[in-house]
């Protein structure tokens, strides 16, 4: 799975890629970690809209409530039967496409972990199968569905985002729960499609993914 994703593209490029309408004042964040804003595509009455939402649904534990701490954030959906997700995932109204160009996993030993970046060759903008909802006290939030990783992702993780090809966008936004399950259980993107960039940048450095020129050339 991914603990960080980023969009190295403009609002105009994203809107054009998804055939979506976008607010004139929308800002593309430098990067997104759980609890921070990211970009998603939602569909309403056949029209797509680009929106900013926070990554991660709030979740409190007995320990956090005892310490009077704010809820943590859960940004990834692994178990579709979990009560946290079971009602959400069956309703197409709560589907979204999470916009990204790269996702990253930490690699290395504690306190010295570095950023390993993943993107898809030939695809300047990606869509991650997601769920979103507007919650009282938290506003619009989203989470991404995960699946078994291809062989390009280890040793950083054995899970990865459930990425979608362009021709699958419509199906994801409107499909039944049977198709949601199919998307999660199918084979992931081939490892050969993935571009992997191991860096020396520390995990909390805020450093951008390297060598993005090829993606800009495709926009």
């Amino acid at each position: 799975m991914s603990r960080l994703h980023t969009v190295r593209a403009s609002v105009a490029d994203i809107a054009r890629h998804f055939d979506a309408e976008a607010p004139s004042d929308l800002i593309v964040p430098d990067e997104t970690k759980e609890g921070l804003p990211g970009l998603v595509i939602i569909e309403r009455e056949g029209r797509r809209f680009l929106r900013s939402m926070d990554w991660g649904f709030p979740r409190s534990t007995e320990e956090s409530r005892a310490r009077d701490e704010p809820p943590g954030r859960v940004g990834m959906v692994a178990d579709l039967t979990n009560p946290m997700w079971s009602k959400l995932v069956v309703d197409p109204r709560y589907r979204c496409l999470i916009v990204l160009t790269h996702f990253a996993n930490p690699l290395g030993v504690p306190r010295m972990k570095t950023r390993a970046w993943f993107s898809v060759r030939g695809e300047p903008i990606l869509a991650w199968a997601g769920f979103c909802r507007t919650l009282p006290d938290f506003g619009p939030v989203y989470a991404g569905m995960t699946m078994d990783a291809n062989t390009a992702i280890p040793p950083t993780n054995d899970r990865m985002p459930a990425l979608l090809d362009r021709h699958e966008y419509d199906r994801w936004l409107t499909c039944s729960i049977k198709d949601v399950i199919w998307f999660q259980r199918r084979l992931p993107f081939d490892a050969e499609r993935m571009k992997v960039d191991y860096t020396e940048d520390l995990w909390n450095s805020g450093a951008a993914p390297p060598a993005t020129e090829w993606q800009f050339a495709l926009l």
Side-chain angles (χ1 to χ4, degrees):
M1 63 188 73
S2 168
R3 293 295 178 185
L4 181 156
H5 54 273
T6 189
V7 182
R8 316 309 290 186
S10 70
V11 169
D13 290 328
I14 298 167
R16 183 167 52 251
H17 177 88
F18 291 100
D19 191 22
E21 302 172 40
S24 59
D25 59 348
L26 191 65
I27 296 174
V28 178
D30 289 335
E31 64 180 33
T32 300
K33 293 183 178 181
E34 286 172 320
L36 297 178
L39 298 180
V40 305
I41 299 291
I42 60 172
E43 184 170 294
R44 298 292 182 267
E45 299 181 351
R47 297 167 63 190
R48 293 180 184 173
F49 301 91
L50 178 61
R51 294 287 184 263
S52 175
M53 300 184 184
D54 289 345
W55 185 23
F57 282 66
R59 181 180 65 179
S60 296
T61 64
E62 291 184 8
E63 292 79 7
S64 65
R65 288 190 291 269
R67 293 193 294 265
D68 197 28
E69 295 175 346
R73 296 289 184 134
V74 181
M76 285 162 285
V77 181
D79 180 3
L80 298 174
T81 66
N82 186 307
M84 185 172 183
W85 313 118
S86 57
K87 293 183 180 179
L88 182 79
V89 300
V90 302
D91 193 333
R93 292 180 301 169
Y94 303 127
R95 306 275 169 72
C96 65
L97 304 171
I98 302 168
V99 181
L100 68 159
T101 57
H102 305 73
F103 64 92
N105 287 329
L107 180 65
V109 298
R111 294 188 296 277
M112 292 297 292
K113 290 183 183 294
T114 56
R115 294 182 165 201
W117 288 102
F118 303 89
S119 54
V120 177
R121 299 181 188 278
E123 293 293 344
I125 296 175
L126 304 174
W128 177 5
F131 307 96
C132 63
R133 193 167 188 177
T134 299
L135 300 177
D137 301 326
F138 293 93
V141 297
Y142 71 92
M145 187 169 70
T146 64
M147 66 190 308
D148 290 339
N150 61 36
T151 57
I153 308 302
T156 65
N157 213 297
D158 59 1
R159 304 282 292 177
M160 68 178 288
L163 300 175
L164 302 170
D165 274 314
R166 298 190 194 201
H167 69 275
E168 297 174 323
Y169 296 171
D170 282 330
R171 182 180 177 188
W172 172 256
L173 291 169
T174 60
C175 70
S176 69
I177 183 60
K178 290 183 179 180
D179 281 338
V180 171
I181 295 169
W182 178 85
F183 273 115
Q184 187 181 56
R185 294 182 178 177
R186 70 170 177 175
L187 292 175
F189 280 18
D190 289 341
E192 291 74 17
R193 296 182 65 183
M194 307 299 296
K195 185 177 187 300
V196 184
D197 291 295
Y198 296 111
T199 75
E200 299 298 322
D201 301 319
L202 292 178
W203 181 248
N204 291 319
S205 65
T212 57
E213 294 83 0
W214 67 271
Q215 287 169 308
F216 286 118
L218 294 173
L219 292 171

